[in-house]
Amino acid sequence: MSETPSGGAEPGSTPEETGGIPSEVAIPLVPVDADGSPRRGSGLRRGQLSALMNAANQRPDLIGALRKAREQLPGDPAFGDPLSVSGPGGARAVARAADKLVGDEPSAAREIGFGALQVWQAMLERVGRGKGSQEVTVMFTDLVAFSSWSLSAGDEATLELLRVVAKAIEPPIADRGGQVVKRMGDGVMAVFTSADRAVRAATQAKRNLAEVEVRGYRPQMRVGLHTGSPREIGGDWLGVDVTIAARVMEAGGNGNMMLSEATLDSLRPETLEELGYTVKPYRRSFFAAPLSGVPEDLRIFRLS
């Protein structure tokens, strides 16, 4: 066979001879000599190929398209946010490992990895492997406008605030039999064996926090409570019920205490009366984004 100008197959080659690609469009990545060996000095250098791959990995349009595609996949399209990858165990441990490999900057590889983990977790839930045998009430908390305040206050003031906040909110959790599963900067995740204990702990924590002031900043805490049967793995709690609790907290706006219908149904009738709280249904404002990763018929209530 004589060598063609392009170093590829002869014009008369069949698609089978060129890997199923017609010869007129078959362009080899590396030109070859007449004996079939790679031509020395030809083709993309390793550095050039790496640069091309890195450029594609950082393309905003590709990243945006992958994020959009994740909305059509099973599971929570927000999987990969700090709430979903904190703590040890299960898919979240794998997610953190992937996070270290691809970094925390937006990239196509990051979206592909989290998309696969999103589907994996959803499949575990569907076959029941994400459910535990014990019913617990999950609590999530965070501080309103904490990030913007800490940027201007500096590290020293931020650490001082976090220490004071921990002393205000963690003892009520422990006193009522709750377990702090993990701390996430300005918030915590905790679990309780009963909804009543969780609500009592949350109300006392908010009362304690009302007395906290650090350098002119009075923190406001929003709380989310949901009762379900997540699965405990390696000291962490996994499952859709954990996701729901986190999203219920996100509905708390500027320092409200929110609970799901499941938690409300689990409360004894006298608990809210003793605490002096009333319940109002939560209605998402017209301009607010819908909560992701939760059942469409989820009902949320605000304690006031």
Side-chain angles (χ1 to χ4, degrees), residues 88-137:
R92 285 154 180 77
V94 182
R96 289 197 311 283
D99 201 36
K100 292 179 181 178
L101 288 175
V102 301
D104 57 3
E105 295 297 325
S107 69
R110 178 183 174 89
E111 294 301 321
I112 292 172
F114 281 139
L117 291 167
Q118 167 189 333
V119 174
W120 177 31
Q121 185 185 12
M123 293 302 101
L124 288 178
E125 295 296 334
R126 185 167 297 176
V127 300
R129 292 181 59 190
K131 287 289 185 182
S133 58
Q134 177 186 2
E135 184 176 87
V136 297
T137 296

Side-chain angles (χ1 to χ4, degrees), residues 21-250:
I21 304 175
S23 59
E24 58 268 19
V25 296
I27 303 176
L29 288 176
V30 180
V32 295
D33 290 324
D35 60 359
S37 60
R39 183 178 301 168
R40 186 171 300 176
S42 301
L44 289 174
R45 296 182 181 274
R46 182 178 300 176
Q48 292 174 318
L49 182 60
S50 177
L52 287 173
M53 293 178 65
N54 286 335
N57 193 39
Q58 302 299 325
R59 282 178 52 182
D61 57 338
L62 179 58
I63 296 171
L66 289 170
R67 285 178 178 169
K68 192 71 175 176
R70 284 183 59 185
E71 296 178 3
Q72 308 303 317
L73 295 176
D76 180 8
F79 187 86
D81 67 7
L83 287 178
S84 67
V85 300
S86 299
R92 285 154 180 77
V94 182
R96 289 197 311 283
D99 201 36
K100 292 179 181 178
L101 288 175
V102 301
D104 57 3
E105 295 297 325
S107 69
R110 178 183 174 89
E111 294 301 321
I112 292 172
F114 281 139
L117 291 167
Q118 167 189 333
V119 174
W120 177 31
Q121 185 185 12
M123 293 302 101
L124 288 178
E125 295 296 334
R126 185 167 297 176
V127 300
R129 292 181 59 190
K131 287 289 185 182
S133 58
Q134 177 186 2
E135 184 176 87
V136 297
T137 296
V138 183
M139 170 196 289
F140 275 96
T141 75
D142 75 357
L143 302 181
V144 178
F146 168 79
S147 297
S148 58
W149 173 83
S150 63
L151 285 174
S152 59
D155 293 343
E156 183 178 345
T158 297
L159 290 174
E160 179 184 354
L161 173 71
L162 292 178
R163 291 190 185 101
V164 176
V165 168
K167 291 180 180 179
I169 68 175
E170 293 193 18
I173 294 174
D175 292 345
R176 288 154 182 82
Q179 172 194 356
V180 175
V181 178
K182 52 196 171 191
R183 299 168 180 86
M184 301 168 290
D186 60 322
V188 301
M189 172 188 169
V191 294
F192 297 81
T193 55
S194 80
D196 297 276
R197 292 182 178 185
V199 170
R200 292 182 184 277
T203 54
Q204 185 59 52
K206 286 182 70 68
R207 291 192 186 103
N208 293 351
L209 200 63
E211 302 176 2
V212 171
E213 180 180 355
V214 174
R215 305 191 187 188
Y217 174 66
R218 289 185 173 274
Q220 289 183 298
M221 181 176 70
R222 56 181 180 173
V223 181
L225 298 168
H226 173 65
T227 302
S229 300
R231 189 180 185 193
E232 184 178 14
I233 301 178
D236 197 7
W237 293 80
L238 312 177
V240 68
D241 289 313
V242 175
T243 301
I244 291 175
R247 304 306 180 221
V248 169
M249 180 202 70
E250 291 178 0

